[in-house]
Amino acid sequence: MMRMVMAWLFVLSGSVAWAQDRVLTLSGFAVWDSAPLLLLVETQPLSDHGIHFKFEAWRAPEELGARFVRRDVDVASVPGMLAPIFASRGLDLALVGTSAPQGNIAIVYRQEAGQIAVPFKGGMPDLILRSIEQRNMMPRYTATPVEAMQLLLSGRVAAAFLAEPFVAIAMAKADGDLQMLDACDLWREVHDLNHCPATGVFLANDLSPRDAKLIGAALASAHGALATQPETAARLLKAEFQMLQEAPLAIAFSRITPHFQQMCETAWITQTLIVLEPFAPFNRNAASLSWSSC
């Protein structure tokens, strides 16, 4: 009888432990910042804490915002400027990390003056370019990075403001006919800062402080692991995004040096938003944003 009771207690305790396990949905776009999220899915570093991960891509900011509202997404990598925009809409999101990579964005040019193709009018590339005051280049806005790259390659613009892997694609297709300026170098010089623009943030949706800190630490470890493994980052993104199958991701990512701040370190994103605010489509003092309960 005692053995039967012990057996039932074992089954019940196992059921309770299983019931406490959760699968959190991570989400990102087809860029390097999604690689750390995909590494969390592959390695499941928080399984001992009852937290498991899966990944679903997002395609547009409006779609991501709607998914946050529905709580279909638990943690997402998004352009930095979306953090105050989402906050102004009443979304209760916690910052669990900031990405400010070196070598991720560049002005790729054939001529030093003329039109420059810029993806997403009012988006992160547009705001960064306007802040570094390239007065000899007039913006020509495009709907996608691919369109901006194609305008450059066809000779219809003098330059394009691109992020990886489109920089690597353009340089390879032009057969040495293009030159490149690292946008981070320009940013640091113009704004007298010692960090690159915080192009991405990782936002948590309705997570406990404990879980948010665990995930922030796991993201920091993933960034560190991928910092010297461009081939791994390339493999992870190619497996998830069909559009990147033929892209030279390993070459593109070899030029990127990831830099990451955890949730309680907010200097990069705060300073970036302060710089961009005069050009930005949000009406909120970036310095007053409350990022977390650290």
Side-chain angles (χ1 to χ4, degrees), residues 10-151:
F10 177 80
V11 171
L12 288 173
S13 63
S15 299
V16 170
W18 177 84
Q20 290 175 341
D21 281 3
R22 291 167 299 145
V23 178
L24 302 183
T25 299
L26 311 179
S27 190
F29 197 58
V31 294
W32 189 95
D33 280 352
S34 287
L37 297 175
L38 292 167
L39 186 63
L40 296 189
V41 174
E42 181 172 88
T43 60
Q44 298 294 336
L46 298 182
S47 58
D48 289 348
H49 296 275
I51 298 175
H52 306 272
F53 300 111
K54 66 177 182 177
F55 183 89
E56 295 178 3
W58 62 266
R59 293 174 293 277
E62 296 78 11
E63 171 204 353
L64 179 61
R67 296 184 68 190
F68 271 140
V69 170
R70 298 194 303 266
R71 298 184 179 177
D72 293 341
V73 171
D74 298 291
V75 178
S77 168
V78 307
M81 62 171 288
L82 288 183
I85 291 175
F86 285 161
S88 68
R89 295 175 182 173
L91 291 176
D92 186 18
L93 304 174
L95 180 77
V96 292
T98 300
S99 176
Q102 167 81 48
N104 187 44
I105 50 178
I107 296 174
V108 183
Y109 65 97
R110 186 174 283 109
Q111 301 171 352
E112 295 184 4
Q115 282 192 321
I116 179 169
V118 185
F120 314 128
K121 183 176 182 179
M124 202 74 179
D126 182 23
L127 302 183
I128 292 172
L129 185 64
R130 289 163 65 188
S131 82
I132 58 180
E133 299 180 328
Q134 297 299 294
R135 298 183 185 276
N136 58 339
M137 293 184 177
M138 296 298 294
R140 177 172 173 177
Y141 296 111
T142 67
T144 66
V146 173
E147 183 183 350
M149 180 183 67
Q150 290 173 340
L151 286 173

Side-chain angles (χ1 to χ4, degrees), residues 44-286:
Q44 298 294 336
L46 298 182
S47 58
D48 289 348
H49 296 275
I51 298 175
H52 306 272
F53 300 111
K54 66 177 182 177
F55 183 89
E56 295 178 3
W58 62 266
R59 293 174 293 277
E62 296 78 11
E63 171 204 353
L64 179 61
R67 296 184 68 190
F68 271 140
V69 170
R70 298 194 303 266
R71 298 184 179 177
D72 293 341
V73 171
D74 298 291
V75 178
S77 168
V78 307
M81 62 171 288
L82 288 183
I85 291 175
F86 285 161
S88 68
R89 295 175 182 173
L91 291 176
D92 186 18
L93 304 174
L95 180 77
V96 292
T98 300
S99 176
Q102 167 81 48
N104 187 44
I105 50 178
I107 296 174
V108 183
Y109 65 97
R110 186 174 283 109
Q111 301 171 352
E112 295 184 4
Q115 282 192 321
I116 179 169
V118 185
F120 314 128
K121 183 176 182 179
M124 202 74 179
D126 182 23
L127 302 183
I128 292 172
L129 185 64
R130 289 163 65 188
S131 82
I132 58 180
E133 299 180 328
Q134 297 299 294
R135 298 183 185 276
N136 58 339
M137 293 184 177
M138 296 298 294
R140 177 172 173 177
Y141 296 111
T142 67
T144 66
V146 173
E147 183 183 350
M149 180 183 67
Q150 290 173 340
L151 286 173
L152 175 63
L153 291 174
S154 65
R156 287 178 283 173
V157 295
F161 192 61
L162 300 173
E164 292 291 11
F166 299 105
V167 174
I169 295 171
M171 298 293 284
K173 288 189 174 183
D175 294 325
D177 191 32
L178 296 176
Q179 298 183 67
M180 179 177 64
L181 284 173
D182 189 301
C184 177
D185 291 341
L186 295 172
W187 166 275
R188 289 189 293 209
E189 179 182 351
V190 169
H191 301 302
D192 193 25
L193 294 170
N194 61 5
H195 60 82
C196 297
T199 50
V201 293
F202 295 85
L203 300 178
N205 188 26
D206 195 32
L207 293 183
S208 69
R210 167 191 171 273
D211 289 351
K213 288 179 181 179
L214 283 172
I215 292 168
L219 277 170
S221 295
H223 273 76
L226 292 173
T228 57
Q229 298 180 36
E231 298 85 0
T232 300
R235 173 181 60 79
L236 290 167
L237 265 77
K238 286 191 174 189
E240 183 64 34
F241 295 98
Q242 183 64 35
M243 70 180 75
L244 298 179
Q245 288 300 308
E246 303 303 319
L249 294 189
I251 295 173
F253 295 163
S254 68
R255 290 201 283 260
I256 294 177
T257 303
H259 294 285
F260 183 81
Q261 282 193 327
Q262 292 194 48
M263 61 187 298
C264 295
E265 304 169 297
T266 60
W268 296 348
I269 183 60
T270 300
Q271 290 170 349
T272 297
L273 291 177
I274 289 173
V275 169
L276 298 183
E277 191 170 22
F279 314 98
F282 53 83
N283 298 311
R284 183 165 180 166
N285 187 333

